[in-house]
Structures are given as C-alpha cells and as structure tokens.
Amino acid sequence: MNYGILAWKNLARRPVRTALTVVGVGMATAVAVSLGGFNLGFRAAISRSIEQLGFQVMIMAKGCPYEAATLMLKGGTGLLYLPESAHEQIRTDPDIEAITPVFLGVAEKPAGGPEENTGPSAFTLIAGIERESYAKMKPWLQFKSGPGFDGGRWFSPDAAAEAVMGFEAAEYEQRKVGDLFYITVVPHGKTEPEFHAFRIVGVLERTGTQDDGTVFVPLHTAQRIFGREGQLTIVGVTLRQFNAIRMREFEGRWMSIPEVQVVSLEQVKGALVSLVGTAQTMVAAVAVIAILVAMIGVLNAILMSVYERTAEFGILKAIGAERRQIFYLVCLETLILCFAGALAGSGVAAGGAGLTDATLRRLLNLGLTQPMVLITPRLLAAAIGGAIALGLLAALWPAARAAALRPVEAIRNQE
Amino acid sequence: MPTTPLISGYGLQRHYRRGIETVRALDGVDLEIRAGESLAVIGPSGSGKTTLLNVLAGLDAPTGGQLTIGGQRVDGLSEQQLTTVRRGFFGFVFQNFHLIPTLTVAENIVLPLLFLRRPVVRHEVEQVLEAVGLSHRAHHYPRELSGGQMQRVAVGRALIVRPRVLVADEPTGNLDTVTADAIVSLFLTLVNREGLALLLSTHNLELASRCDRIIRLKDGQIVPPVSPPQSLR
C-alpha cells in the first residue's frame, strides 16, 4: 500500500467522472500543444521558406510587397513587371554579393503532345532565369541522378528550347532527361495561344521549396514566349553585409528608380508573422478558455470527491493521518488526473499534427512548403508540466479543505 | 499494584453553542482507564457517550477539565498536536465501519500504517487477519462482506497499529445480536490477550455487562451505578 495506489483507487470509485475530467484536461492540453506547435512551426516555416528563396532582398515593381513575397513563396506570378534595365543598374551596387533576375509566368500544359491536344489542360509555373547567377544564389540546387536522370545539366544560356524541371514537376509530368515537355502560352498583347516544346536537359533534386514544382527556362526565352521582352518579375539580391543599416542604405540608393521597390525579406518575414499573429492571438484566447474550463473541471471533480468523502477523511485522520498527508493525497489524485489527461492530450496533438498542419494550410494559404506545426519534446514537456501545475493550483482549495476537516465533525456530519 | 492510568480525565467538560443555547455535552466527568481494562459507557441517545469517547481519545478537545493521555496533558492542545498524541495510541471502531470501498480487506487493515510511516510486515498482517477471523477474506472487497465481517475489518484496522486503547463507538449498532455478541467477544479476547484498554459505548446493557466496568451517562454527567452490576457479570 502506498499513496499512489490509494489515490488511484480513490479515483477509480467514480470512473465516469474521472474519465470526463481526464478528457477535459486532455482536450485543453491538445489545444495548447497544437497552438504551441503552430507558433513554433509557423515562424520556423516562414524563416526556412524565405531562406530557401535564396534572396535577402527582392526588387520588384511597386505594389504590395507582402503579396509579392507570398506569390513568390506560393509560386504565383505578379501582375506588375519592372524593366530589365533596373537590373543592369542595380547590379553595379558595390554592396551586392549576388544578384539574379527572374521572370515568372504561368503556362498551360496540353493534356498530351502536339498530336493529342484534346484532353483537359493544367497549368505550370515557368521561371525564366540566368543560370549562373541563379545557381550561385541557390548553391544547394543539385541535379537528380539515376536511370533516366544521369547527365543532368543547366540549359545553354540562349537555348530556345531547353528546360530544367523541378523534382515534383518532373515526377508529376513523368519526364526524364531527354524527354520533351509541351506548353501553350498566350503572349502579352495577343489573343491566340502559341505552342512550345522544350527538351528536358536536367531534373533537380527535391529542395522542399517552390522550385520543386517549377520548370526553368532561359530568362530571354521566357520573356519572349510570354511577350514580355525586357521585363522582369523580380530581381533577387544578397548583400555582402546584411543588417538594418546596410539594408536602409541599399534601399535609399535604389528606391529612386521609378516604379521599383526594394523589399527586405526580413520585413516580409515579420509581416507574414504579424499577419497570422491576430489569428494566433484568437486561437490562444480559445486555448486559455479551454484551459480555464479544464481547470474548473478539475476543481469541480476534486471538490465533489472531497465533499463525498468528508466522513472518510475524518476516519483517515482518526486512524493517524496528518493534515499534510491528507493534503498530499488529494493533490496526488489531482496530479494523476492531470498527468493522464495531459499525456493523452499531448499524444493526440502529436499524432494529429499532420491533420492540424493540413487544416491550417487550407485556412492560411501562405504557400509555405515547410511544416507549419512543429511539436517538440520540449513543447510536450512544457504542456504536461503546465497541465499538472494548473491542476495542482486548482486542487489547492479542495485539498486544503480536506486537510482542515476536524475528524469529529467530519464523521458526525455523514453519520 | 495498580498501574498508571492510560487515560485520566478530571472535571472534563465539552460545551458548545447551538444558536443561543449552550449545550453541555460533557459536564464534569472524572474517569481513569488502565491497561487491560474494559469500560462500557451506556446511556440514552444524546447523553454524551460519543462525546466522552471522542474527548478521551483525543478526537475532540475538552472545553474544561484536565485530560492526560499516556502520561501527557492534552487539554489545550491544538488539533494537530492531538493528532500526534493520538497516532498509534488509539485504535478506532465506528458503528458504520467506514471502510474504503475500493480497498481490499488486507489493504483496509494496513491503511493506518501508511499514515504512521510504518512498514507493512506480512506476518503481522496475517496475525491480525487471523485474530479477526478474516484470513480467507483478505483479498475481498467490503461490498463482498457481511456487516459483521466489515466490522471485523474495522477491528483489524484498529489493531494493526498495536494500539494501547481500543475505542469502539456503538460498534454493534448495525449488527444482529449474534454477530454483535461475537464482536464484543473479540474485543474482550484482545483486551485479555494483548493487554489493551477497551472503551466501548453501547445501548446494549447485556453487551456492556461483559466489560470490567460500566459507567452510565445522563446529560453529560456520570450517574450511579459506576461499578459493574455483579448480577449481570
């Protein structure tokens, strides 16, 4: 016989009440863990997604910079373009370590080849890039190897009909090195679609970024087929020294170009975090309410138990229990309730992280490729510890009440 | 040679207020109890039997008089201090058994050892189970026992701490005549064999007459006769 067994058997007297209390604590813990996981994961996902763009600074046509950044992350295209001459001007800046111009366009994919262009169409993202500067900006890009993929390479600078496919684009289209890839595009200023075929010269390894779903073609080829010669979607820049002062200086030098804006991805990161901050605050409020409700549930369950067992506590004191032993017993019962609930809730939250991630991804369509819910052992430990601490806080009053019962009165009241 | 009293009370009072009225539950009781002695307290309902037992056992504090338990003056002590004096000195048996329903017979019996921080010694538990005639029921739950068996568990729970005084407040109130007689026989056997003192309150004069002494209470005071009626012994 020990306190643990005694506490457990006391809880087992009212299995339904005990189970409901555990479920309440579990639900509150699951909400808290999921929210905490979202807070951790969302910031990390934004950071990683933006870092994997490879840029520190984006230069683009004036408009909403956050929308532009989100489109970049999601792989969309902007409605506004900046002149290619801006790139020529900016690249002379002495603070620049690397710079790359990018043109993005969306092309339609015929269902089959040119002979069987009858089925339903789909769309693909075409990125026109300068291979050297782009590869320098993203040194982690590697060509896939293996049967059908060996010998992958970047396209020749002015090749009109060569393309490199991202990992998922190639997998989706079932294309290998040497295969042909077809698109149709309605060029700017025209009404009739034009058909284009590209030879795949390389397939990239998976990066976990939007690059995986992109088809890369030479910059001038992309500009030409979309009818946007001399125009860019963005210019990506990394600076030799990236800090707030350098960024402000750099921004000051180039904001003077008409129709051009300079956006730090740190700013974008902050803006995206704050955009979701309101939602996070609301969810946090819901979590706090859930936790308070669970605490009241624990308080109610323990208080009911103490009321029901008034005579029993009197007897326990008569047979030798001290105040602190009764206090400890009631707290131990609460601890078992809260630990069981917190463990179950944490398990549900950890096990259902994928589902939570998918739900959040659908609700907050920010184009983040990284997991938005990050449940760490530390978070789980904090949630379990917090549930136990709050549970014990709720148990203080009932435990003190039980401990303070005078044996004679306790026994007499329920005789 | 008379032994030192385990409990002695002189001029014991237990008064309390109920609205504007002062209830004199005990009103100047003098009493001594020695080891190996059995004392029955009889009297009508409301005469102060339970209050006397509670005060003598340190469960309730007297509001007047002097009370010594185990050689220590206890009148004026706080509830916490009374608990310290009481622990292990008394074993309690109540009318309603008050067993923990989710604990087995053996677990109910060893429960006080948990609070006294004493180890559970298997053969001692077996001895107690045998003494109360429940060796074959050690792993049964209270709901599986008869009233007499439940009261035997309560007796076992009282005995496990090896008390100096066994306090039994109406222990046969919920039992049939035969079982009640058996329980009192068990008490008296323990008094003789273990040298305990027994404080027994009862309405049953026949059971009371089996004790060494009988006191009769009325309105919180002891009234004659204070010696056992020889004709009933």
Side-chain angles (χ1 to χ4, degrees):
Chain A
M1 171 65 64
N2 56 46
Y3 284 100
I5 291 173
L6 184 59
W8 174 252
K9 291 199 167 189
N10 284 336
L11 291 171
R13 280 189 221 184
R14 300 282 185 186
V16 174
R17 186 168 65 200
T18 299
L20 287 175
T21 311
V22 167
V23 167
V25 173
M27 286 172 69
T29 309
V31 169
V33 168
S34 298
L35 175 70
F38 174 49
N39 273 330
L40 284 178
F42 178 68
R43 286 168 196 275
I46 284 184
S47 292
R48 282 197 299 273
S49 293
I50 284 181
E51 278 161 18
Q52 287 187 329
L53 279 176
F55 321 139
Q56 292 166 340
V57 182
M58 283 198 316
I59 295 157
M60 62 186 68
K62 278 208 168 93
C64 174
Y66 308 124
E67 185 187 11
T70 308
L71 286 172
M72 278 298 295
L73 289 168
K74 290 167 70 174
T77 59
L79 297 172
L80 301 169
Y81 298 88
L82 73 157
E84 198 170 355
S85 57
H87 170 240
E88 297 305 324
Q89 283 178 273
I90 294 165
R91 72 188 306 169
T92 60
D93 191 293
D95 280 347
I96 286 178
E97 182 173 273
I99 182 167
T100 190
V102 179
F103 179 90
L104 294 172
V106 174
E108 198 174 351
K109 293 181 297 181
E115 299 83 15
E116 41 175 327
N117 189 13
T118 51
S121 296
F123 295 90
T124 192
L125 184 67
I126 305 293
I129 58 168
E130 263 184 16
R131 62 173 201 181
E132 287 85 3
S133 61
Y134 197 77
K136 185 179 174 189
M137 195 74 83
K138 302 191 180 194
W140 54 84
L141 293 178
Q142 300 288 326
F143 285 100
K144 192 177 173 181
S145 57
F149 299 102
D150 284 337
R153 60 172 176 81
W154 286 108
F155 35 71
S156 306
D158 295 315
E162 287 184 351
V164 167
M165 295 187 91
F167 184 92
E168 282 170 12
E171 215 167 47
Y172 184 72
E173 299 294 334
Q174 297 189 319
R175 294 292 193 273
K176 293 184 174 177
V177 173
D179 289 350
L180 284 171
F181 177 67
Y182 307 101
I183 57 171
T184 56
V185 175
V186 180
H188 177 62
K190 296 187 179 175
T191 53
E192 289 300 313
E194 292 179 359
F195 183 83
H196 302 277
F198 292 90
R199 176 77 60 193
I200 306 302
V201 295
V203 173
L204 295 172
E205 285 284 11
R206 188 190 290 279
T207 61
T209 69
Q210 189 52 42
D211 286 346
D212 290 344
T214 305
V215 176
F216 299 93
V217 299
L219 176 63
H220 292 126
T221 303
Q223 289 170 327
R224 179 174 48 77
I225 64 176
F226 283 94
R228 295 277 184 183
E229 282 93 344
Q231 293 184 328
L232 297 172
T233 308
I234 61 154
V235 175
V237 173
T238 56
L239 299 178
R240 291 182 203 285
Q241 263 191 305
F242 183 72
N243 54 45
I245 297 168
R246 291 286 183 191
M247 179 60 207
R248 204 168 299 126
E249 287 171 359
F250 181 80
E251 199 176 12
R253 283 198 291 277
W254 300 110
M255 284 295 275
S256 55
I257 303 178
E259 299 304 312
V260 163
Q261 63 178 340
V262 179
V263 179
S264 157
L265 287 175
E266 281 298 316
Q267 290 172 318
V268 173
K269 197 191 294 183
L272 289 178
V273 168
S274 69
L275 273 177
V276 182
T278 310
Q280 283 179 324
T281 306
M282 287 178 68
V283 179
V286 172
V288 167
I289 290 168
I291 288 165
L292 284 176
V293 169
M295 269 183 77
I296 291 168
V298 170
L299 173 65
N300 181 54
I302 296 296
L303 199 56
M304 290 275 286
S305 169
V306 167
Y307 274 121
E308 285 172 1
R309 290 151 62 201
T310 297
E312 186 179 305
F313 286 124
I315 296 294
L316 294 184
K317 293 189 95 172
I319 66 175
E322 295 171 321
R323 294 174 79 129
R324 60 183 169 180
Q325 288 174 319
I326 299 289
F327 187 87
Y328 175 67
L329 181 63
V330 175
C331 286
L332 190 60
E333 289 173 19
T334 312
L335 189 143
I336 292 172
L337 274 180
C338 293
F339 181 71
L343 205 62
S346 298
V348 166
L355 185 66
T356 312
D357 188 80
T359 307
L360 289 169
R361 213 166 275 282
R362 205 162 48 240
L363 291 173
L364 306 167
N365 189 15
L366 293 170
L368 299 175
T369 52
Q370 308 294 326
M372 286 170 68
V373 178
L374 186 63
I375 293 176
T376 62
R378 196 171 168 180
L379 175 65
L380 292 176
I384 292 171
I388 288 172
L390 289 173
L392 289 178
L393 193 65
L396 284 181
W397 176 35
R401 193 182 181 285
L405 286 170
R406 295 184 61 228
V408 171
E409 286 164 10
I411 295 165
R412 188 166 51 215
N413 284 345
Q414 290 199 354
E415 285 272 307
Chain B
M1 191 173 117
T3 54
T4 310
L6 290 174
I7 306 169
S8 56
Y10 304 105
L12 289 176
Q13 292 181 336
R14 182 68 178 94
H15 297 176
Y16 58 90
R17 292 192 68 84
R18 186 191 288 152
I20 55 168
E21 184 190 4
T22 297
V23 178
R24 297 168 184 272
L26 281 186
D27 200 14
V29 172
D30 299 331
L31 200 61
E32 287 184 349
I33 298 132
R34 290 183 162 77
E37 185 181 30
S38 56
L39 172 69
V41 183
I42 60 170
S45 293
S47 60
K49 299 189 297 294
T50 297
T51 304
L52 177 61
L53 260 60
N54 287 340
V55 167
L56 293 176
L59 285 175
D60 201 0
T63 50
Q66 289 182 10
L67 178 63
T68 306
I69 296 175
Q72 184 183 350
R73 279 286 294 272
V74 299
D75 45 282
L77 294 186
S78 67
E79 194 226 311
Q80 186 68 20
Q81 290 166 320
L82 278 175
T83 303
T84 308
V85 172
R86 202 169 58 227
R87 282 155 62 95
F89 194 87
F90 293 98
F92 292 93
V93 179
F94 299 94
Q95 182 178 354
N96 288 336
F97 323 133
H98 288 299
L99 303 179
I100 308 288
T102 46
L103 300 184
T104 63
V105 166
E107 287 170 336
N108 266 291
I109 286 176
V110 301
L111 187 59
L113 300 178
L114 176 70
F115 299 118
L116 298 179
R117 300 182 188 86
R118 290 192 202 163
V120 176
V121 180
R122 192 189 174 106
H123 76 267
E124 286 181 5
V125 179
E126 287 168 353
Q127 274 177 0
V128 169
L129 280 166
E130 198 178 321
V132 297
L134 287 173
S135 297
H136 63 299
R137 295 283 198 174
H139 301 295
H140 287 234
Y141 287 90
R143 63 177 179 274
E144 299 167 328
L145 305 178
S146 66
Q149 287 172 325
M150 283 198 271
Q151 196 59 294
R152 283 168 181 275
V153 178
V155 175
R157 183 177 64 188
L159 291 180
I160 194 73
V161 299
R162 297 192 172 279
R164 307 282 300 279
V165 181
L166 191 59
V167 180
D169 186 12
E170 303 269 9
T172 58
N174 282 336
L175 303 177
D176 61 72
T177 317
V178 177
T179 311
D181 196 54
I183 290 289
V184 173
S185 296
L186 174 63
F187 286 151
L188 295 175
T189 305
L190 294 167
V191 168
N192 291 329
R193 198 171 66 199
E194 311 284 337
L196 308 178
L198 172 67
L199 260 172
L200 170 74
S201 80
T202 181
H203 284 288
N204 189 324
L205 192 59
E206 194 175 337
L207 293 177
S209 67
R210 298 177 63 186
C211 294
D212 298 328
R213 282 198 294 152
I214 298 175
I215 60 168
R216 190 151 65 92
L217 282 181
K218 188 179 177 191
D219 298 329
Q221 294 180 325
I222 295 176
V223 293
V226 292
S227 58
Q230 292 298 324
S231 60
L232 288 172
R233 296 198 69 182

